[in-house]
Amino acid sequence: MRYVIMKQRGKIITGGLRSLGRELQKEAWQDAGYVILVDENTFQFCLPALVSQVEPFQEAEFVEVPVGEECKSLEVASQIWQTLMERVSDRNTVIVNLGGGCVCDLGGFVAAGFKRGIRHINIPTTLLAMVDASIGGKTAVNFGDVKNMIGHFYMPEAVCIDTTFLATLPQSELLSGKVEMIKTAAVADPALYRQLLQSADITKQQIVAVAKLKNRIVKEDFNDHGIRQILNFGHTFGHAVEAYSHLSHGEAVGVGMLMAMYLSTKKIGLDVEIYQSYKAWATSHLKLPAYTLKDVPNLLYLIHQDKKSESGRARCVLLRQVGAAMIGVEVPDEEIVDAILSLGR
């Protein structure tokens, strides 16, 4: 048996499932055995298309996990590792993650830990996963009340984008993904940012552009010590909003971006018109919470659990202007409270 290490991990395959099938005919994959990770939804709606269009997967085994954040736990990861051991999986085993961000996060985490690392392929089936969660090699499970607390940097061998899967999604899921597209463009591509705010529809070209933009940033700073941190824009606040108000990840990040833009106008000179323009979009598309002082203690606690916090101080990504982000900006609690309450003003 041979284990071939691919020279270029994190390849973005934009031609859909048939293009992935052609990729897997190459020598690097000749000894691979495949285990497909699915949840209840992707088992029903996506697995048949995958198996019918990608010939190497016709002999694959599959493992089903719970839908959503419930699957991102050490317990579920342990169950998958046990399954892999029982099926005599070796280092030529490839985990294929067919699903949204939770499945991709979990599958990458499992792959990173099994036998000190086996290959994995992400096939995102949600817009959010296509443009964000499946790309970049951040894998994690949740621990306690904190999202993505235990994980690895472990790049997938390939990410296959097939936009036909989006036909199975409700509008709320498409909106969640569009917010992440706007976030990436806000920190790195002013023209694309303006286009996304102004367009009602989401095109394949826009999806591919955002996916490649994120992939380029990631490969400049894989271990997240520098420029990659701009992709956390909106997330310090967004993760807290997600946990406290039970909004979808994308919607919560959209709220977090609004808070970060508000602080950007106060702290580093972002043009107020940019903030107002985004606020107008967010008001018409998102469910903006109107927090009061009674909500503040819980939100502050969650914000301080963020991995970027240091010495009890939150550190955020803020915008000087669209396409120019500033990382590691220390924000004291009184300014965070101001940003929280600004949502209701």
Side-chain angles (χ1 to χ4, degrees), residues 283-296:
T283 300
S284 62
H285 290 84
L286 307 177
K287 297 173 184 176
L288 297 182
Y291 294 128
T292 64
L293 287 173
K294 70 180 179 62
D295 303 300
V296 165

Side-chain angles (χ1 to χ4, degrees), residues 202-221:
I202 304 164
T203 68
K204 179 180 178 180
Q205 290 74 21
Q206 290 170 340
I207 294 169
V208 170
V210 172
K212 289 185 174 180
L213 183 59
K214 177 174 180 180
N215 207 38
R216 176 178 62 77
I217 294 168
V218 164
K219 289 186 175 182
E220 289 184 37
D221 176 30

Side-chain angles (χ1 to χ4, degrees), residues 251-321:
E251 196 162 35
V253 168
V255 175
M257 287 168 57
L258 185 58
M259 296 169 65
M261 283 197 187
Y262 174 81
L263 286 172
S264 297
T265 66
K266 301 290 185 180
K267 291 181 71 67
I268 61 172
L270 178 69
D271 190 327
V272 174
E273 289 186 7
I274 294 173
Y275 164 68
Q276 293 292 353
S277 174
Y278 176 72
K279 185 175 183 179
W281 184 90
T283 300
S284 62
H285 290 84
L286 307 177
K287 297 173 184 176
L288 297 182
Y291 294 128
T292 64
L293 287 173
K294 70 180 179 62
D295 303 300
V296 165
N298 288 326
L299 285 165
L300 279 177
Y301 169 77
L302 290 167
I303 289 167
H304 285 304
Q305 299 308 303
D306 186 83
K307 294 180 288 296
K308 297 174 290 301
S309 294
E310 294 181 8
S311 303
R313 291 290 187 99
R315 293 184 178 274
C316 304
V317 180
L318 301 183
L319 284 185
R320 287 197 180 95
Q321 59 189 38

Side-chain angles (χ1 to χ4, degrees), residues 137-157:
K138 283 188 175 180
T139 72
V141 294
N142 304 331
F143 190 73
D145 296 327
V146 184
K147 186 179 174 74
N148 297 336
M149 182 52 61
I150 301 175
H152 308 275
F153 289 97
Y154 194 68
M155 188 74 90
E157 300 296 326

Side-chain angles (χ1 to χ4, degrees), residues 131-132 180-189 210 213-214 231:
V131 299
D132 189 65
E180 284 283 359
M181 294 174 71
I182 290 170
K183 176 224 57 180
T184 301
V187 298
D189 191 327
V210 172
L213 183 59
K214 177 174 180 180
L231 296 171

Side-chain angles (χ1 to χ4, degrees), residues 8-182:
Q8 185 66 22
R9 290 187 164 184
K11 181 176 183 178
I12 306 291
I13 298 172
T14 61
L17 296 180
R18 296 198 184 279
S19 293
L20 175 62
R22 290 191 292 272
E23 177 73 23
L24 297 184
Q25 298 299 325
K26 296 179 179 179
E27 181 183 1
W29 303 96
Q30 292 308 302
D31 292 328
Y34 299 100
V35 175
I36 303 174
L37 205 63
V38 295
D39 63 20
E40 181 181 349
N41 293 329
T42 57
F43 173 75
Q44 179 179 356
F45 297 112
C46 305
L47 186 60
L50 176 66
V51 172
S52 67
Q53 294 185 56
V54 184
E55 184 177 350
F57 293 162
Q58 291 174 5
E59 301 299 321
E61 299 188 62
F62 69 88
V63 176
E64 186 173 333
V65 300
V67 174
E69 292 289 331
E70 185 181 346
C71 80
K72 289 176 54 175
S73 70
L74 289 173
E75 291 76 16
V76 173
S78 295
Q79 291 167 12
I80 300 171
W81 285 323
Q82 184 66 41
T83 299
L84 291 173
M85 290 176 64
E86 291 170 356
R87 296 179 184 180
V88 200
S89 299
D90 59 28
R91 295 200 71 224
N92 288 298
T93 299
V94 178
I95 296 180
V96 180
N97 303 312
L98 180 67
C102 292
V103 170
C104 291
D105 278 0
L106 172 67
F109 179 83
V110 168
F114 189 71
K115 297 194 174 183
R116 296 195 179 99
I118 60 175
R119 291 178 288 179
H120 69 295
I121 297 170
N122 287 335
I123 306 177
T125 58
T126 67
L127 179 58
L128 182 62
M130 288 179 190
V131 299
D132 189 65
S134 70
I135 299 167
K138 283 188 175 180
T139 72
V141 294
N142 304 331
F143 190 73
D145 296 327
V146 184
K147 186 179 174 74
N148 297 336
M149 182 52 61
I150 301 175
H152 308 275
F153 289 97
Y154 194 68
M155 188 74 90
E157 300 296 326
V159 177
C160 176
I161 296 176
D162 190 323
T163 57
T164 61
F165 286 131
L166 299 181
T168 67
L169 298 181
Q171 281 300 120
S172 59
E173 285 288 335
L174 294 175
L175 175 62
S176 191
K178 184 169 183 177
V179 171
E180 284 283 359
M181 294 174 71
I182 290 170

